[in-house]
Amino acid sequence: MCAFTRPHGNDNSQAGLAAARKAQESKAAPEAPAPGVQPVQDSMFRSLVKAFSWRFFSTATTIFLTLTFFNASLEDALEMGAAEFVSKYVLFLIHERLWILVTLF
């Protein structure tokens, strides 16, 4: 018998094939969440806090970089930071809320 041929009528090979199919089907099915666990959906308040915390650190970075690399005065750097904070805070908040609607993943 060739090493690549299988013996015919072997019940073990049929059982192994059935087990492999069952394992493959169980992997394809999405896992159900654990009992009592709900998918997390950010509230508006959480989105506001996330946007604020991100803008705080990124605006501080903008002010620092403006002072360091552009030799701007502290007043100019703060004005630029304030304008950047307000505009990007609103844009980030809109972006964050739109991502709640995305169901691709």
Side-chain angles (χ1 to χ4, degrees):
M1 180 186 297
C2 177
F4 296 110
T5 61
R6 294 186 189 144
H8 296 289
N10 187 346
D11 290 333
N12 287 336
S13 65
Q14 293 298 321
L17 182 59
R21 284 185 184 147
K22 186 175 181 179
Q24 187 178 19
E25 288 171 2
S26 68
K27 287 180 184 177
E31 291 184 23
V37 175
Q38 297 287 332
V40 176
Q41 181 175 1
D42 286 354
S43 67
M44 181 60 141
F45 179 73
R46 180 176 166 85
S47 292
L48 288 166
V49 172
K50 285 171 66 177
F52 181 82
S53 68
W54 170 244
R55 290 311 326 147
F56 176 80
F57 290 110
S58 57
T59 298
T61 303
T62 298
I63 292 169
F64 174 76
L65 292 173
T66 302
L67 287 170
T68 305
F69 292 107
F70 298 105
N71 297 325
S73 68
L74 180 59
E75 183 180 342
D76 290 341
L78 290 173
E79 285 178 12
M80 185 179 291
E84 183 243 8
F85 183 91
V86 173
S87 62
K88 290 185 180 178
Y89 180 82
V90 171
L91 291 173
F92 182 87
L93 186 59
I94 292 168
H95 174 264
E96 180 78 13
R97 300 310 291 175
L98 287 175
W99 263 103
I100 291 174
L101 303 175
V102 174
T103 58
L104 297 174
F105 307 107

